[in-house]
Amino acid sequence: MSGVPPTGASSQASRGSKRKWVPEEDATLVSCMVDLHNVGTFNADTGFKAGYLNELEKMLEKALPRAMLKAKPNIESRIRCLKREWSVVYDMLNGQNNSGFGWDEHRQLVVAEDAVWESYVKSHKEASQFRHRSFPYYNQLIAIYARDRATGKDAQTAADVLEEIHAEDERTTDMNEERNTFYDCEADVSLDDMDVSGTDPRGDRDQGGCHFVGEKIQTVGDQISRTMASEVVVQQKSEEKMEEKASNLYSALWSIEGLTDDQWYDALSKIPDHSTQMIVFFSLPSIARLEWVKRFLSHH
């Protein structure tokens, strides 16, 4: 009947990517992303490769059957938004000359002196939204996107540098061919008319080419070293965060009202064995943790 607003799945489809996500849906989406990344089937240097959205749709259909979330546009647009926000926070905490920023693990937000904020937002307006706003999924998304962000911002990939070398080699070859053409044109000049006492110019060219290639090889080595160093730093930070969370688990579980002694001890002994689930636990608001722990224990 005309004039009647669409309901159910049709209503959601009409809203498209404008759908408003609630905290439980965000937390579940990120949890599924981490689980999918840990499996590794759809992993890529930039996060995930083609086909991962359909897999996430299946996972979310099981975890949130009433949400009716679709790969496109719902999940795709939400992940794009989360990655964009995560990148802003990551750049504040890991960018060059950004030592004034810190991370409050308890409140899950970026902290800094007012002067640091005011100076930074002048050139990074997108960061102003996080001055008093938490971003509880920062640590989970590090494992998925940090490598891409670190190498993409601060260094070329080895493939990029090798491509440059290939292009430069082609230019050098063209120059040598032009020079060889010149020498061929002058080949009918008598050796008696030429001064051959100096250094063979071809030797200079060969040395110059070797020097150039040597510099480029050194550049490749430097870039690969920077990439490896970035990955090591990310891994170290991730391990430090997990150790910190494990040490806070006792008090976090103790503060949950409604857990029996058996549930409390079981959770304390089992959650640390599942790093991804521990990250999800700490990302949840206090009011949601009781139900989450009960569900976790029912599956572990």
Side-chain angles (χ1 to χ4, degrees):
M1 183 173 63
S2 61
V4 178
T7 58
S10 299
S11 176
Q12 180 171 298
S14 67
R15 291 194 299 269
S17 60
K18 299 297 184 181
R19 182 186 191 283
K20 181 175 178 59
W21 288 62
V22 298
E24 180 187 3
E25 292 173 341
D26 276 342
T28 304
L29 170 61
V30 173
S31 177
C32 289
M33 290 171 64
V34 173
D35 287 344
L36 187 62
H37 183 268
N38 289 339
V39 171
T41 306
F42 293 92
N43 287 6
D45 289 342
T46 54
F48 294 107
K49 58 187 178 183
Y52 83 101
L53 288 173
N54 291 331
E55 189 65 25
L56 282 175
E57 180 180 318
K58 296 176 184 177
M59 297 170 71
L60 287 168
E61 187 176 359
K62 294 180 180 179
L64 300 170
R66 296 182 180 179
M68 296 182 292
L69 297 167
K70 299 302 179 183
K72 293 184 179 182
N74 307 133
I75 300 173
E76 181 182 46
S77 63
R78 190 55 182 166
I79 289 178
R80 187 184 301 117
C81 177
L82 289 172
K83 184 178 180 181
R84 182 170 60 248
E85 293 180 340
W86 174 86
S87 298
V88 174
V89 175
Y90 179 90
D91 289 350
M92 280 190 284
L93 297 175
N94 298 277
Q96 295 181 352
N97 303 319
N98 286 2
S99 58
F101 289 102
W103 179 253
D104 187 323
E105 187 67 31
H106 178 67
R107 294 185 294 165
Q108 295 286 294
L109 54 76
V110 179
V111 292
E113 297 293 335
D114 289 343
V116 174
W117 274 109
E118 291 167 5
S119 175
Y120 189 77
V121 297
K122 287 180 180 179
S123 56
H124 302 81
K125 295 188 182 347
E126 70 281 358
S128 62
Q129 61 180 308
F130 294 106
R131 188 165 184 175
H132 302 292
R133 174 189 165 197
S134 65
F135 188 69
Y137 314 111
Y138 176 71
N139 290 322
Q140 294 102 302
L141 296 178
I142 279 182
I144 301 174
Y145 296 122
R147 180 179 180 182
D148 173 45
R149 196 67 182 169
T151 57
K153 277 177 57 61
D154 302 327
Q156 293 172 291
T157 64
D160 292 333
V161 179
L162 289 172
E163 185 177 349
E164 280 189 4
I165 291 176
H166 179 67
E168 290 292 344
D169 284 345
E170 288 183 343
R171 285 195 290 271
T172 303
T173 300
D174 292 341
M175 292 173 61
N176 286 340
E177 288 177 351
E178 289 178 2
R179 290 174 178 173
N180 288 337
T181 301
F182 169 79
Y183 289 123
D184 289 341
C185 291
E186 298 295 328
D188 59 347
V189 178
S190 170
L191 288 177
D192 293 336
D193 298 330
M194 296 176 63
D195 181 6
V196 294
S197 60
T199 304
D200 184 350
R202 287 174 297 179
D204 291 339
R205 292 200 306 277
D206 292 341
Q207 290 179 359
C210 292
H211 178 68
F212 169 79
V213 173
E215 286 183 342
K216 284 298 182 180
I217 291 175
Q218 178 64 44
T219 301
V220 172
D222 291 343
Q223 300 290 12
I224 292 175
S225 296
R226 290 173 62 183
T227 299
M228 293 176 64
S230 297
E231 292 178 0
V232 170
V233 170
V234 169
Q235 180 64 26
Q236 289 176 341
K237 288 185 177 181
S238 178
E239 291 176 354
E240 291 173 0
K241 295 291 185 183
M242 292 308 301
E243 291 177 0
E244 183 177 351
K245 288 183 182 300
S247 65
N248 293 332
L249 185 60
Y250 177 95
S251 58
L253 289 171
W254 186 259
S255 64
I256 300 177
E257 296 183 4
L259 285 180
T260 66
D261 289 345
D262 287 341
Q263 289 173 330
W264 185 86
Y265 282 111
D266 285 346
L268 187 61
S269 63
K270 292 179 179 180
I271 291 178
D273 293 334
H274 303 272
S275 57
T276 300
Q277 297 301 321
M278 183 159 63
I279 292 174
V280 173
F281 170 76
F282 278 103
S283 71
L284 295 173
S286 300
I287 193 173
R289 290 181 176 180
L290 174 61
E291 184 61 27
W292 185 92
V293 170
K294 290 181 178 179
R295 293 190 181 190
F296 171 84
L297 292 177
S298 68
H299 290 88
H300 299 82

